Amino acid sequence: NHPVQLFNGEEIYELKSTSRARCAKHNKHLKYMCKPCDKLICSDCGMLGEHKGHTTVPVKQMVLQKKREIEEKAAELSTDIELLESGIANVDETTSSLTRRADE
């Protein structure tokens, strides 16, 4: 297990596993993400505390969603890179052609 740093506002948690993070108020595992606040919370914070009524998602679900988003973005970037490389090759070809013509 590698240490993971989680940043929530002013709080930074350094953990060996996110399942070990605990709420400072309720001493329960931080298993949910409060979407409007972008903060990890425990079940009590979500049901009874300052995040009551906010949209929350399980951390595991959020991680899978973010992973999919990253994979989609990586695929888009890969396509962009291919287009750029093709454009560079075209510029190189044009430059070579113009250089040859200038030398004639």
Side-chain angles (χ1 to χ4, degrees), residues 8-21:
N8 291 320
E10 310 83 46
E11 303 166 275
I12 295 179
Y13 305 92
E14 186 152 336
L15 313 164
K16 289 188 178 176
S17 167
T18 54
S19 64
R20 294 184 187 169

Side-chain angles (χ1 to χ4, degrees), residues 9-66:
E10 310 83 46
E11 303 166 275
I12 295 179
Y13 305 92
E14 186 152 336
L15 313 164
K16 289 188 178 176
S17 167
T18 54
S19 64
R20 294 184 187 169
R22 291 191 170 272
C23 174
K25 290 181 184 175
H26 304 106
N27 198 33
K28 288 189 168 191
H29 292 291
L30 300 174
K31 292 186 177 182
Y32 301 93
M33 173 63 87
C34 177
K35 290 190 93 166
C37 301
D38 196 28
K39 184 171 184 164
L40 291 173
I41 62 171
C42 73
S43 56
D44 284 359
C45 285
M47 290 190 285
L48 310 169
E50 64 186 81
H51 303 277
K52 182 178 180 180
H54 293 185
T55 302
T56 60
V57 293
V59 170
K60 288 181 182 180
Q61 177 183 335
M62 183 201 63
V63 167
L64 291 174
Q65 176 187 347
K66 293 296 180 186

Side-chain angles (χ1 to χ4, degrees), residues 50 53 77 90 93 104:
E50 64 186 81
L77 290 172
N90 287 337
E93 262 183 56
E104 291 175 357

